[in-house]
Amino acid sequence: MAKYIFVTGGVTSSLGKGIIAASLAKLLQARGLSVTIQKLDPYINVDPGTLNPYEHGECYVTEDGAETDLDLGHYERFLNSHTSQANNVTTGKIYQTVINKERAGDFLGKTVQVIPHITDEIKRRMLLLGKGGKFDIVITEIGGTVGDIESLPFVEAVRQLQWELPEDRVMVIHLTLVPYLKAAKELKTKPTQHSVKLLSENGVHPDVLVCRTEEPLGNDIKRKIALFCNVKQEAVIEAMDASTIYEVPMLMLREKLDLICLKKLNITEYSEPNLDKWKAYLDKLKYPKSKVTIGLIGKYIELQDAYKSILESFIHAGAMNEVKVQVINVHSEFITKENVEEKLEGLDGLLVAPGFGHRGIDGKIIAVQYARENGLPFFGICLGMQMAVIEYGRNILGLKDAHSTEMDANTTNPVINMMEEQKKIKMMGGTMRLGAYPCEITEGSLAHKIYSATTISERHRHRYEFNNDYLDQYKDNGMVMSGVNPDTGLVEIIELPNHPFFIGVQYHPELKSTVEAPAPLFVSFVGAAKEYNDKKGSMKSAALQDALI
Ligand code: GLN
């Protein structure tokens, strides 16, 4: 019988509920338990697929093609296991299910109401992953902050489950903030007290308080919080700001968050935590031997969350290469032929990011050309790969108006074209080519060297593809299509053999990079950037030597 841990948040948003949930899950997993995490989001969109990255950050795609909240990325990166459609539920999904049932006549004669119908559907989803015996523990992160009108039905569902399930099958962790007032030189517990009071008014009493803080809490503060919030002192957990999110499991281990949960849930069979791989990774992460600088060319660069999985993949790949990867954001909208050299100066590699729509396209194409002509390691993801195809078409194949029909529907050279099955689709949500698809790799190619495999599977999120009518022209002019979908013939990987490292992929390798299994493409790209940097260094010292002589 699975046990359920709910994580709520108070005081303010952005306290890092997802990281706390993922860290706890990691510790429980390291003690031999099977754990999964799900996120319940209170907004009315059915999923975040139709949201602008400025609104919601990256849209994370699962193996089975769900467009989900970026916290699911953290869960996968920490646990090294896959999530699915069922791991992200929104108010929109809940209402859609209930309203569909109503239309089907399932509630015939009855008034359909928030309580019990909506809360029943929320509870069904909360318990779903725990059915079937796959998991010992299901952690559910409730999005939003306690007190928000829209999260009330979720909190009410937690209240009902706390009442319905045996005491040792359910617990609630509340994440709060203990601010430090510089002027008073004091930590303040009042916001936490108020937040717990608010939660209690909704009938939910937390078993554990995780307190985000810039300063150590100390026993006095812990005692005070415990007394006023009615929890055991050992259940007041200090969550100090960490230098990296990957440090948080170690901080939680020190605070015994896992043991407190195991005790509350009456789980007695567990081992000492096996965190060897995690610690080895942290060591490499903390003590890099050198540094490389990568330019991330995108159009949402003001918001770091828009490229969350890419940035995390660089952290994983950096640790593997024992280098610190410094990512410089370059706004593609402001790159021109005249300033490209200056904009990309000092970089050891160039990543052209995924994206949609016309804005910033020209800058991306110029950046690709610069990387291609100057032997700068290049890595294009999804739209980034499509830009590389367009650039090559225009500048090498001489197709002056080569373009994607996404940006120019009337181009006479649609080298990137809408996929056939996409053409009849009118609805926006969940209708792209989504999730994992196989890809066959040509032996002897760069991709083959990177993956050491001839069949791989990677996740997708796109509507457009390389137009195979141009296949021969590209091949004849030196571009290698080294990865192809075996069922559809869709080009998945392009590369240039006469370049130190030039690769573009139609899929999103960043979605599968985890601490324990970093994405091979990122690892090799960072490796190539390192080589480029080393060469630059030796050229500089040779020039210096010459000058001295
Ligand atoms: N807009 C492009 C397409 O739909 C690329 C999508 C992406 O980069 N994820 O094909």
Side-chain angles (χ1 to χ4, degrees):
M1 289 266 249
K3 310 213 172 194
Y4 297 92
I5 301 177
F6 293 96
V7 181
T8 58
V11 185
T12 169
S13 58
S14 305
L15 286 183
K17 277 195 301 275
I19 301 297
I20 292 295
S23 300
L24 172 61
K26 182 76 221 168
L27 295 179
L28 295 170
Q29 185 193 53
R31 288 187 179 277
L33 296 155
S34 67
V35 192
T36 190
I37 321 178
Q38 61 180 341
K39 172 104 191 255
L40 268 52
D41 277 312
Y43 54 74
I44 301 187
N45 303 64
V46 172
D47 62 42
T50 52
L51 288 172
N52 186 314
Y54 285 125
E55 288 273 323
H56 194 260
E58 168 189 271
C59 174
Y60 187 79
V61 179
T62 57
E63 284 287 290
D64 62 353
E67 295 181 291
T68 72
D69 187 80
L70 58 78
D71 271 337
L72 270 77
H74 289 310
Y75 308 161
E76 292 206 7
R77 289 187 280 270
F78 275 53
L79 294 183
N80 196 33
S81 63
H82 293 158
T83 54
S84 69
Q85 296 273 0
N87 292 69
N88 194 190
V89 176
T90 66
T91 294
K93 251 186 210 164
I94 300 282
Y95 272 81
Q96 197 178 44
T97 311
V98 173
I99 291 169
N100 285 346
K101 273 191 183 168
E102 188 272 335
R103 292 289 84 182
D106 287 11
F107 307 112
L108 224 48
K110 287 261 176 286
T111 309
V112 182
Q113 294 180 300
V114 173
I115 301 173
H117 303 100
I118 294 297
T119 46
D120 278 355
E121 178 58 19
I122 297 176
K123 285 192 293 179
R124 190 184 71 80
R125 303 268 189 160
M126 283 174 165
L127 300 180
L128 196 62
L129 287 166
K131 307 249 152 93
K134 208 170 148 204
F135 300 109
D136 301 318
I137 295 176
V138 177
I139 300 179
T140 302
E141 179 192 344
I142 312 280
T145 308
V146 166
D148 297 346
I149 291 177
E150 53 183 16
S151 57
L152 276 175
F154 291 98
V155 175
E156 167 61 13
V158 174
R159 183 194 73 76
Q160 292 182 18
L161 285 179
Q162 243 186 344
W163 183 76
E164 283 167 12
L165 292 175
E167 256 187 53
D168 66 352
R169 282 196 65 203
V170 56
M171 67 177 289
V172 176
I173 297 175
H174 189 56
L175 178 62
T176 77
L177 177 71
V178 179
Y180 180 73
L181 290 194
K182 273 206 189 91
K185 295 200 177 60
E186 251 185 299
L187 286 163
K188 290 292 177 192
T189 63
K190 199 71 88 190
T192 296
Q193 293 180 40
H194 280 299
S195 172
V196 173
K197 194 171 156 215
L198 196 59
L199 193 57
S200 301
E201 278 168 10
N202 291 323
V204 172
H205 188 70
D207 301 289
V208 174
L209 295 176
V210 175
C211 305
R212 278 297 302 272
T213 173
E214 285 172 44
E215 297 289 326
L217 291 185
N219 276 337
D220 286 351
I221 297 279
K222 279 193 175 179
R223 197 173 314 123
K224 190 173 172 187
I225 293 174
L227 178 66
F228 287 115
C229 298
N230 210 9
V231 295
K232 298 242 162 53
Q233 189 173 332
E234 61 174 19
V236 178
I237 303 290
E238 167 191 292
M240 289 277 289
D241 290 354
S243 58
T244 153
I245 55 168
Y246 299 105
E247 184 81 53
V248 179
M250 307 316 292
L251 297 183
M252 292 302 103
L253 182 70
R254 223 173 297 148
E255 286 287 298
K256 301 193 172 69
L257 176 62
D258 53 338
L259 290 179
I260 289 154
C261 295
L262 291 167
K263 190 167 148 194
K264 166 69 177 84
L265 297 174
N266 198 19
I267 296 174
T268 48
E269 271 177 52
Y270 55 83
S271 58
E272 279 303 300
N274 177 359
L275 289 160
D276 295 348
K277 281 189 185 162
W278 194 270
K279 284 183 195 154
Y281 162 75
L282 263 183
D283 270 351
K284 283 189 181 166
L285 187 64
K286 281 192 185 154
Y287 308 108
K289 294 189 175 138
S290 58
K291 189 183 99 177
V292 297
T293 309
I294 304 286
L296 172 67
I297 318 290
K299 67 170 177 177
Y300 308 112
I301 58 165
E302 303 86 346
L303 186 80
Q304 285 303 290
D305 274 359
Y307 301 113
K308 195 83 205 160
S309 294
I310 290 180
L311 296 176
E312 297 303 324
S313 301
F314 274 129
I315 295 175
H316 308 155
M320 278 296 269
N321 281 285
E322 299 188 72
V323 299
K324 179 177 169 44
V325 181
Q326 185 187 16
V327 178
I328 307 263
N329 298 304
V330 188
H331 208 308
S332 55
E333 234 181 325
F334 307 123
I335 300 176
T336 62
K337 276 211 158 78
E338 292 68 41
N339 70 12
V340 62
E341 191 163 355
E342 177 202 331
K343 288 261 180 209
L344 307 186
E345 199 191 328
L347 299 181
D348 304 311
L350 192 76
L351 182 134
V352 178
F356 295 84
H358 190 272
R359 190 165 66 93
I361 286 302
D362 295 336
K364 285 188 174 174
I365 297 173
I366 294 167
V368 178
Q369 182 179 1
Y370 179 87
R372 182 177 57 76
E373 289 176 349
N374 292 282
L376 182 65
F378 167 81
F379 183 15
I381 299 182
C382 206
L383 184 71
M385 171 265 199
Q386 297 177 353
M387 292 304 108
V389 168
I390 293 169
E391 190 278 322
Y392 209 72
R394 289 186 188 174
N395 298 324
I396 301 291
L397 274 56
L399 309 169
K400 289 297 165 222
D401 69 339
H403 220 322
S404 163
T405 49
E406 180 179 4
M407 287 77 191
D408 179 2
N410 301 319
T411 174
T412 53
N413 283 300
V415 291
I416 303 292
N417 209 356
M418 189 178 261
M419 284 178 278
E420 225 21 73
E421 76 262 23
Q422 288 286 326
K423 288 184 180 156
K424 40 189 184 295
I425 296 173
K426 294 279 173 288
M427 298 286 274
M428 290 297 277
T431 55
M432 280 186 247
R433 181 175 182 241
L434 291 166
Y437 285 91
C439 166
E440 240 144 57
I441 292 180
T442 315
E443 280 193 49
S445 63
L446 174 63
H448 185 225
K449 200 171 127 206
I450 290 171
Y451 280 98
S452 310
T454 48
T455 306
I456 57 159
S457 168
E458 292 278 12
R459 298 184 198 169
H460 298 69
R461 183 172 189 248
H462 65 120
R463 287 201 169 84
Y464 296 81
E465 60 169 323
F466 176 79
N467 183 347
N468 273 334
D469 290 349
Y470 291 86
L471 196 59
D472 290 339
Q473 272 194 70
Y474 274 81
K475 279 185 177 168
D476 293 347
N477 284 284
M479 188 170 266
V480 171
M481 298 354 198
S482 56
V484 174
N485 178 293
D487 308 313
T488 58
L490 207 78
V491 170
E492 302 278 20
I493 310 176
I494 58 140
E495 54 187 77
L496 293 179
N498 59 357
H499 187 284
F501 189 99
F502 191 103
I503 195 159
V505 293
Q506 185 55 76
Y507 51 82
H508 292 262
E510 73 275 20
L511 299 174
K512 273 177 74 173
S513 189
T514 71
V515 164
E516 283 174 28
L521 270 162
F522 278 85
V523 176
S524 296
F525 177 53
V526 170
K530 194 173 150 211
E531 239 170 72
Y532 184 87
N533 184 282
D534 289 347
K535 253 191 218 147
K536 242 177 17 186
S538 50
M539 266 154 64
K540 255 193 207 153
S541 58
L544 204 64
Q545 291 265 329
D546 283 353
L548 287 175
I549 294 163

